[in-house]
């Protein structure tokens, strides 16, 4: 526990928490106002994969609701680095120096990997899978989608793929604490690949092989990257243990 934390009472902690929450909310509001100016362009970009199909709204309030949802979500994404900075500023006084370094590296890494997952979904997964989905019964039905349902489909994939892209970080952390070893991870490779295919079938609201492959392939790649990071984590843990032994 740091000197600053010892000198702060409950009231001071609550006051600081209130101030940081206020700053986080204000940053979200300002970012949302900025994003609202581009909400139309964002929706237009999101519906681009629907080439050959059309998107409609089914109620007078659907379009305004989608507009504000897009503005809020985009604003939150823009403000997220500052919000995370406020979270770190509140918890940092109670952390040891080595814990602070892990958090300082971990928070940006989580953010970056989630963004990579979102970009992969929006730039690769959806543009490739949508023509395949729209081709089913193409001679019988005309692809027409509700804007709310389509964006719900996109959001679901973005969230799941963003979480899926955290795989290397999760593997690194559990390896750093000694729960698994790179050898164990390598031996479990075939099982993980099989589970990845099942996971892809569950999280993707489609059964076409192209979409399943586009979800399974990145997960396998991320798992292999996680094995590399696990080896690095083991080396770091050994170095820390050697330093502790030298200090003793």
């Amino acid at each position: 526990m740091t000197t600053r934390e010892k000198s702060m009472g409950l009231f001071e902690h609550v006051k600081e928490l209130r101030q940081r929450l206020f700053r986080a909310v204000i940053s979200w509001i300002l970012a949302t106002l900025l994003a609202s100016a581009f909400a139309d362009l964002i929706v237009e970009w999101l519906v681009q994969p629907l080439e050959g199909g059309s998107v409609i709204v089914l109620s007078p309030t659907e379009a305004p609701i989608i507009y504000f949802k897009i503005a809020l979500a985009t604003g939150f994404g823009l403000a997220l680095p500052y919000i995370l900075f406020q979270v770190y500023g509140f918890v940092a006084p109670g952390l040891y120096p080595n814990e602070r370094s892990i958090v300082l590296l971990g928070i940006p890494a989580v953010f970056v990997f989630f963004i990579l997952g979102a970009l992969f979904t929006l730039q690769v997964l959806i543009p490739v899978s949508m023509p395949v989905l729209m081709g089913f019964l193409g001679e019988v039905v005309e692809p027409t989608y509700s804007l709310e349902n389509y964006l719900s489909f996109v959001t679901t994939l973005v969230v799941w793929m963003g979480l899926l892209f955290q795989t290397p970080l999760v593997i690194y952390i559990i390896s750093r604490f000694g729960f698994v070893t790179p050898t164990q991870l390598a031996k479990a490779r075939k099982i993980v690949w099989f589970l990845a295919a099942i996971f892809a079938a569950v999280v993707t609201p489609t059964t076409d092989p192209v979409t399943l492959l586009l979800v399974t392939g990145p997960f396998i790649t991320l798992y292999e990257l996680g094995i590399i990071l696990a080896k690095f984590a083991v080396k770091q843990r050994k170095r820390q243990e050697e330093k502790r032994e030298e200090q003793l």
Side-chain angles (χ1 to χ4, degrees):
M1 185 176 293
T2 63
T3 304
R4 175 172 175 260
E5 189 181 24
K6 291 179 180 178
S7 62
M8 293 179 64
L10 178 61
F11 177 77
E12 286 78 8
H13 280 294
V14 173
K15 182 179 179 180
E16 182 183 3
L17 177 60
R18 183 179 61 185
Q19 291 175 343
R20 294 191 178 278
L21 285 175
F22 178 77
R23 295 169 187 169
V25 171
I26 291 299
S27 68
W28 188 4
I29 293 175
L30 294 177
T32 299
L33 292 175
L34 176 63
S36 64
F38 304 96
D40 292 346
L41 295 176
I42 295 172
V43 172
E44 183 180 356
W45 173 56
L46 291 175
V47 300
Q48 281 182 354
L50 294 176
E51 298 179 0
S54 61
V55 60
I56 62 174
V57 292
L58 301 179
S59 71
T61 59
E62 184 173 342
I65 290 175
I66 293 299
Y67 176 88
F68 287 112
K69 283 184 177 181
I70 291 293
L72 284 170
T74 306
F76 181 77
L78 293 175
L80 186 58
Y82 183 76
I83 293 173
L84 293 176
F85 172 76
Q86 294 299 322
V87 174
Y88 171 77
F90 180 74
V91 303
L95 301 176
Y96 291 104
N98 61 327
E99 294 174 336
R100 292 182 188 178
S101 62
I102 293 176
V103 173
L104 279 175
L105 292 175
I107 290 179
V110 170
F111 183 74
V112 169
F113 273 94
F114 189 91
I115 293 297
L116 290 176
L119 289 176
F120 174 81
T121 303
L122 297 173
Q123 296 292 329
V124 179
L125 180 59
I126 292 177
V128 172
S129 62
M130 283 308 302
V132 177
L133 295 175
M134 295 168 64
F136 282 94
L137 299 178
E139 298 180 355
V140 180
V141 298
E142 179 180 354
T144 303
Y145 305 102
S146 163
L147 180 61
E148 184 176 4
N149 290 337
Y150 172 74
L151 292 182
S152 176
F153 165 79
V154 172
T155 303
T156 300
L157 287 181
V158 167
V159 171
W160 278 109
M161 290 303 296
L163 295 176
L164 188 65
F165 268 62
Q166 307 300 318
T167 301
L169 296 179
V170 174
I171 293 177
Y172 172 81
I173 292 173
I174 61 179
S175 300
R176 183 71 180 271
F177 286 100
F179 294 117
V180 295
T181 64
T183 302
Q184 292 173 332
L185 293 170
K187 290 182 178 179
R189 182 179 283 116
K190 293 182 179 180
I191 298 176
V192 170
W193 290 9
F194 176 73
L195 294 177
I198 296 178
F199 175 81
V202 172
V203 302
T204 54
T206 174
T207 57
D208 69 280
V210 176
T211 304
L212 294 178
L213 180 61
L214 286 175
V215 176
T216 306
F219 181 80
I220 293 174
T221 303
L222 292 168
Y223 183 79
E224 296 298 325
L225 176 60
I227 294 178
I228 297 174
L229 292 178
K231 295 178 181 179
F232 180 68
V234 170
K235 292 180 180 179
Q236 285 185 318
R237 192 175 73 250
K238 288 182 179 179
R239 290 175 185 175
Q240 287 184 345
E241 292 175 354
E242 291 174 356
K243 289 182 179 179
R244 290 175 183 175
E245 291 178 357
E246 291 177 358
Q247 292 176 353
L248 295 175

